[in-house]
Amino acid sequence: MMKVKLLDYTPEPERVVAMAARLCYSASGAEELAEKLSDDQVKKMVKKMVSLGHASTIEHVSFTFGIEGVSRVLTHQLVRHRIASYDQQSQRYVAAHGFQYITPHTIEENPAAKAKFDRLLAEIRKTYDELTEMGIPKEDARYVLANATETKILVTMNARTLLHFFNLRCCLRAQWEIREMAYKMLTEVKKVAPTLFHNAGASCVNTGRCPEGAMTCGKFAEMIKLREPDEET
């Protein structure tokens, strides 16, 4: 089962964003600005920065997630988001005996396909065990492991990268597993920075239009429903 937990983040992330914004337009120093900002001013400033696209101000805050129960298929996609930091469970040092694996819904719902899938993964487990018993190092035995193999990863992104990540990966055209993870990550960050991520999600949700052109899913109304109701900010 996929687990996504926000492990750490910049303290008072929205106040930091507001501080950065005020510093750009004020002769006062950052420490003085921080003392002057009320909670209402912080909310207004964060909303303004997001609406104006003044994205450098939101790069000052970052969020670290612990993610488990995902496949190597997902992590191969995830690391394409380059302005981020990653640490992944090593198949070189961590033995994969009896490894868990992720089964796509389309296979899970098809008994014949699932039987074939499970047989193959059982054979891979057996082959991995046999290779290591023959003295083959884990770093070489891992070559037989499937993309379905379960893995764990630690991810840190700043808010600007996260907003872009949500634009792409909350989209219905994103691959199902990474889309599920993106929504779980969005739920986590909304708990600590609700104003900053108020309109976060697929591009069509926060801009009112689909950037996919002829490749659009055509389900704008459905995307609006997928979005969790926010508290008024």
Side-chain angles (χ1 to χ4, degrees):
M1 180 179 177
M2 183 187 296
K3 294 180 181 178
V4 176
K5 184 175 178 59
L6 181 62
L7 299 177
D8 201 5
Y9 57 93
T10 303
E12 296 190 87
E14 295 182 339
R15 183 165 292 274
V16 172
V17 172
M19 234 170 33
R22 285 289 293 273
L23 185 64
C24 292
Y25 305 107
S26 173
S28 301
E31 188 174 354
E32 183 183 350
L33 288 173
E35 293 173 355
K36 289 182 177 179
L37 285 167
S38 68
D39 290 345
D40 284 343
Q41 287 175 314
V42 167
K43 286 185 178 182
K44 288 177 182 177
M45 189 63 71
V46 170
K47 282 183 178 180
K48 185 176 181 180
M49 292 302 99
V50 173
S51 65
L52 291 176
H54 192 169
S56 66
T57 61
I58 66 177
E59 291 178 3
H60 294 286
V61 297
S62 62
F63 302 82
T64 298
F65 303 87
I67 300 167
E68 301 178 14
V70 296
S71 72
R72 288 258 167 176
V73 170
L74 183 151
T75 57
H76 288 325
Q77 298 175 79
L78 177 60
V79 296
R80 293 175 64 192
H81 295 271
R82 298 183 183 182
I83 312 301
S85 298
Y86 304 103
D87 275 293
Q88 187 168 8
Q89 186 179 65
S90 172
Q91 290 181 335
R92 184 182 185 191
Y93 296 110
V94 179
H97 303 296
F99 65 85
Q100 300 300 306
Y101 56 88
I102 310 304
T103 305
H105 306 305
T106 52
I107 294 177
E108 190 77 49
E109 294 163 2
N110 183 322
K114 181 153 189 323
K116 187 180 289 288
F117 186 78
D118 289 341
R119 278 198 303 272
L120 174 60
L121 271 295
E123 184 61 31
I124 289 173
R125 278 177 176 165
K126 179 183 175 184
T127 302
Y128 177 87
D129 291 345
E130 290 173 346
L131 288 172
T132 55
E133 286 169 7
M134 293 167 65
I136 303 299
K138 292 189 293 291
E139 66 177 19
D140 293 336
R142 64 178 165 166
Y143 276 70
V144 304
L145 297 176
N147 275 338
T149 304
E150 187 271 342
T151 189
K152 300 169 179 62
I153 191 165
L154 195 75
V155 182
T156 300
M157 293 183 181
N158 68 44
R160 184 178 188 173
T161 297
L162 268 175
L163 287 170
H164 179 63
F165 174 78
F166 294 142
N167 281 347
L168 298 178
R169 301 302 186 174
C170 289
C171 175
L172 282 179
R173 295 197 68 250
Q175 188 259 352
W176 68 268
E177 189 182 12
I178 199 168
R179 184 173 67 245
E180 179 182 338
M181 185 190 73
Y183 273 105
K184 288 179 181 292
M185 291 169 67
L186 180 53
T187 297
E188 288 287 286
V189 294
K190 279 186 173 182
K191 294 173 185 176
V192 298
T195 304
L196 182 55
F197 293 102
H198 176 67
N199 287 323
S203 293
C204 63
V205 172
N206 57 45
T207 65
R209 65 179 186 84
C210 176
E212 296 288 335
M215 301 292 285
T216 181
C217 69
K219 297 180 179 179
F220 178 68
E222 184 177 335
M223 290 302 297
I224 294 297
K225 289 179 182 178
L226 277 175
R227 192 172 148 196
E228 293 184 39
D230 294 321
E231 292 182 5
E232 189 62 38
T233 56

